[in-house]
Amino acid sequence: MSQCIEDYGIIGDLQTVALVGRNGSIDWLCLPDVDSPACFASLLGDERHGSWSLAPASGGPCTRRRYRGESLVLETEWETPEGHVRVTDLMPPRGEAPDIVRVVEGLRGRVPMEDRLAPRFDYGSVLPWVSRADDPPGARAHGIGIVAGPDALALSAPVPHELADGVVRARFEVSAGERVPFVLTYHRSHLPAPRSADPFDGLTDTLDFWADWIAQTRYDGAWQEPVRRSLLTLKALTYAPTGAIAAAATTSLPEQLGGPRNWDYRFCWLRDATFTLLALLGTGHTAAARAWREWLLRAVAGSPADLQIMYGLDGRRRIPELALDWLPGYEQSGPVRVGNGAAGQLQLDVWGETLMGLHLARAAGLPDDADTWNLQKALLDFLEGHWDDLDNGLWEVRGPRRPFVHSRVMAWAGVDAMVRAVEDFGLDGPVDDWRSLRASIRADVLTRGYDPRRNTFTQFYGSDGLDASLLLIPRVGFLPWDDPRVVGTVDAVQRELSQDGLLLRYHTHADRVDGLPGGEGTFLVGSFWLVNALHGIGRSAEARALFERLLTLRNDLGLLAEEYDVGAGRQLGNVPQAFSHLGLVNSARVLSGKTAPGARAAGIPEQAPARLRDVGDPV
């Protein structure tokens, strides 16, 4: 049985991510990439579906665990009656092939250990063929080969293993001062097995890589540790070969235990990636932002009408959604889905967010070129003719399309970014026409998206429902923070969407908006938006208290999933969730005064022109 979501830590090599439980078991790993089929899938089932456990033979959760310094090197320790032992897990920076390194180290006494490796390829459905490799004379490690169809693994370890029914098992003891390394290397089965990483050189290389990366951080505000750990987590979700940013490392972790809202988040959403880019820009990580922009230009090449809300990490467009009926789901929460049918939805806010992201990258000093501006103009040409279309909204509702307020506010923000690009950088374009379009969208939203009786904006035109995304209205500059309509909206959203002080995205039963049964937990990034909104309307003490509470929802390794069940006191949804971690980073910056509460797009870099940091009514 899988553990609680918050019981997992992560390791990764910027191409895939593994989830490691408190009990020493890797229960989720996709190879060679984070959106490849899983070879360890017990997270969504049980041990029949693949895992790799390395822990004391007595079993049980660890005594303590931590990341070594500011890295993704995970140290898990057990105090047992026989002694004290540590397992260090890591994935070195990828060279010829992906490697998972696990080093058992005796700290006190002599501890009996058990290694149980049971890969099951294609999301737990394929039992591999396991055999011993021919060890060269004088070899210090024993080799084992594991093959299933196109996939193969090679295990190297200095202890003998038993092989039976696709399971590789070893029992051994480790004494104080001893180190016993295990290296698992993936390769395509038709190719020779590559040289496995040296476990100890790999440890040094991994620590050096993460130390060098986090040293580039430029953030001197409060909450240093959670901000820097969140930045490391965001970096772990980037896909180094292309610069894409995955929304999360997992699929189908439920938004309600036992419910059907289980989605695959191992792809690059333009919205999530844009806000991640802003968090990275605001903390000095311009190289990652530049890589994402280059990925974007490749991924969206073609007609702007064909812009998708998400793409594969390599930029592919087709992400068909399938249900895997052999997996029961996390705590029986089915169905388990791979792929995501929402890729074909119309979500008009994505045009606006993409335009903002590209503009803010320019404002932050990223080198510009004609292709970027030409793409922006093409996107705006489409938006000009379609901003008032009905769409599925940012929450990807699977009910009927609606005139969502957030979609139209973000369309306004995209046009506003183009006007400012002309005004601030002297770029060419029909700016008078764009100003007129901006005014038309604004007037439409103010007239049809605002309920004067309740003094609040609504989820969509004609709706009585509210939506946490309404808190972004002043953050993108649509209205100033002291506008009574903004204050009223913040009050209404907090009052009507709050569960024990945290925010739902919206009421899933309201207006039959999303076409799905069941409910969900509170949405963590929405609660971070509330932090920013409370600060923006002058309730800074309340904002700070909410932020401090949100920090307590992280697990012991500083990780956040998508949602939180306030009744059960548990994390819900896919993990680690980029949206949650970038929300943490941007809220810390707002509360620390490192970006104005009205800064557009949830985090204008400090070096942006002063005009971009104005919070007054732009029309």
Side-chain angles (χ1 to χ4, degrees):
M1 178 179 175
S2 56
Q3 302 172 79
C4 291
I5 292 170
E6 55 267 33
D7 286 333
Y8 288 97
I10 63 166
I11 57 175
D13 65 355
L14 305 188
Q15 294 189 47
T16 194
V17 175
L19 268 62
V20 187
R22 288 181 181 274
N23 62 355
S25 181
I26 299 178
D27 290 343
W28 182 256
L29 174 63
C30 302
L31 288 171
D33 300 320
V34 73
D35 58 353
S36 299
C39 61
F40 301 142
S42 62
L43 177 71
L44 301 178
D46 54 41
E47 66 178 17
R48 295 172 299 166
H49 302 109
S51 61
W52 183 10
S53 174
L54 183 57
S58 56
C62 64
T63 306
R64 67 185 67 88
R65 61 179 179 169
R66 65 176 184 177
Y67 285 113
R68 186 181 296 187
E70 293 184 309
S71 76
L72 250 63
V73 174
L74 179 61
E75 297 181 333
T76 307
E77 298 182 12
W78 287 263
E79 296 269 8
T80 74
E82 297 85 3
H84 185 188
V85 66
R86 174 191 299 143
V87 175
T88 300
D89 291 319
L90 60 130
M91 294 188 73
R94 190 172 298 193
E96 185 180 354
D99 297 286
I100 302 94
V101 173
R102 314 193 76 179
V103 179
V104 181
E105 182 179 1
L107 301 177
R108 178 180 54 80
R110 187 170 180 83
V111 181
M113 299 290 295
E114 181 175 9
D115 178 43
R116 183 185 183 277
L117 171 63
R120 298 292 183 266
F121 292 98
D122 195 20
Y123 299 104
S125 67
V126 178
L127 181 72
W129 179 263
V130 181
S131 60
R132 299 186 190 279
D134 294 329
D135 299 329
R140 300 171 62 184
H142 305 282
I144 294 171
I146 303 165
V147 177
D151 303 300
L153 294 166
L155 175 67
S156 175
V159 297
H161 284 74
E162 297 176 354
L163 315 181
D165 300 323
V167 177
V168 181
R169 191 188 304 268
R171 286 183 176 268
F172 61 99
E173 294 184 345
V174 61
S175 299
E178 284 188 296
R179 293 193 297 178
V180 184
F182 297 74
V183 182
L184 187 67
T185 303
Y186 173 86
H187 65 100
R188 304 298 284 180
S189 61
H190 66 280
L191 299 174
R195 180 186 295 273
S196 297
D198 179 278
F200 303 113
D201 289 345
L203 173 59
T204 299
D205 292 344
T206 305
L207 290 170
D208 288 346
F209 171 83
W210 289 106
D212 290 345
W213 187 82
I214 197 64
Q216 301 169 33
T217 301
R218 300 291 178 264
Y219 175 73
D220 59 359
W223 302 287
Q224 285 281 323
E225 183 278 326
V227 167
R228 293 169 74 89
R229 177 51 58 185
S230 287
L231 290 171
L232 290 164
T233 304
L234 292 172
K235 179 62 174 175
L237 292 171
T238 62
Y239 184 65
T242 65
I245 303 169
T250 58
T251 180
S252 299
L253 290 180
E255 296 171 7
Q256 180 187 46
L257 293 176
R261 297 168 184 265
N262 318 312
W263 314 109
D264 194 346
Y265 279 9
R266 299 170 299 152
F267 309 110
C268 186
W269 271 254
L270 296 190
R271 176 189 308 108
D272 300 41
T274 296
F275 284 111
T276 301
L277 172 145
L278 298 172
L280 294 171
L281 282 175
T283 52
H285 292 284
T286 56
R290 184 182 300 112
W292 175 83
R293 188 178 67 179
E294 292 171 356
W295 172 87
L296 176 69
L297 292 172
R298 296 190 300 270
V300 306
S303 170
D306 296 329
L307 184 74
Q308 294 188 179
I309 66 167
M310 74 179 85
Y311 297 83
L313 300 180
D314 58 1
R316 70 186 183 279
R317 291 172 173 262
R318 298 195 183 278
I319 313 175
E321 182 175 299
L322 303 171
L324 307 183
D325 57 8
W326 63 86
L327 284 171
Y330 178 85
E331 296 195 13
Q332 303 299 310
S333 302
V336 170
R337 296 180 174 95
V338 296
N340 200 307
Q345 288 187 350
L346 177 65
Q347 297 177 23
L348 288 167
D349 66 294
V350 170
W351 273 261
E353 283 142 355
T354 302
L355 288 169
M356 287 193 311
L358 292 171
H359 173 60
L360 295 172
R362 181 182 298 113
L366 264 64
D368 207 0
D369 56 41
D371 287 342
T372 302
W373 183 237
N374 287 335
L375 171 63
Q376 288 181 254
K377 290 193 290 185
L379 293 174
L380 184 57
D381 285 346
F382 175 84
L383 196 58
E384 184 173 10
H386 296 274
W387 67 266
D388 57 352
D389 288 355
L390 305 183
D391 77 328
N392 299 98
L394 84 161
W395 304 131
E396 301 174 359
V397 299
R398 300 199 174 197
R401 291 180 175 179
R402 309 275 191 174
F404 286 101
V405 169
H406 175 77
S407 296
R408 302 190 179 198
V409 168
M410 298 311 294
W412 175 94
V415 180
D416 180 62
M418 295 295 284
V419 171
R420 292 176 180 277
V422 173
E423 295 174 344
D424 296 332
F425 297 100
L427 297 172
D428 67 291
V431 69
D432 289 337
D433 292 342
W434 294 346
R435 290 189 183 107
S436 177
L437 175 62
R438 182 178 64 176
S440 296
I441 298 173
R442 183 176 185 274
D444 188 72
V445 172
L446 293 177
T447 301
R448 303 173 64 196
Y450 173 73
D451 182 348
R453 177 180 59 84
R454 298 162 62 205
N455 188 28
T456 182
F457 288 91
T458 60
Q459 185 175 35
F460 55 87
Y461 292 178
S463 169
D464 290 329
L466 298 179
D467 190 314
S469 65
L470 299 173
L471 299 175
L472 298 176
I473 287 174
R475 288 197 60 77
V476 300
F478 186 84
L479 287 174
W481 287 102
D482 60 359
D483 189 294
R485 293 165 292 189
V486 167
V487 176
T489 299
V490 174
D491 287 340
V493 167
Q494 185 180 30
R495 180 177 61 251
E496 297 188 23
L497 296 184
S498 176
Q499 280 194 353
D500 192 26
L502 306 180
L503 286 192
L504 298 167
R505 296 186 298 170
Y506 57 92
H507 286 297
T508 54
H509 60 274
D511 298 314
R512 297 182 178 178
V513 67
D514 64 9
L516 290 170
E520 60 186 34
T522 58
F523 195 62
L524 290 177
V525 78
S527 297
F528 285 114
W529 291 343
L530 180 58
V531 168
N532 304 337
L534 291 171
H535 179 70
I537 64 173
R539 291 156 58 182
S540 296
E542 187 179 350
R544 187 182 185 96
L546 176 56
F547 183 75
E548 293 281 4
R549 180 186 175 195
L550 287 166
L551 293 183
T552 70
L553 305 185
R554 302 181 304 151
N555 75 357
D556 56 314
L557 297 172
L559 299 177
L560 287 169
E562 180 186 17
E563 298 186 356
Y564 190 78
D565 184 331
V566 295
R570 293 183 56 179
Q571 293 189 19
L572 293 173
N574 287 305
V575 68
Q577 181 81 6
F579 236 177
S580 299
H581 284 280
L582 68 89
L584 186 158
V585 172
N586 286 328
S587 289
R589 294 178 60 226
V590 166
L591 294 178
S592 295
K594 300 305 175 183
T595 180
R600 285 166 173 71
I604 297 294
E606 291 177 86
Q607 64 269 39
R611 174 67 182 277
L612 291 176
R613 297 196 296 271
D614 293 342
V615 298
D617 190 337
V619 176

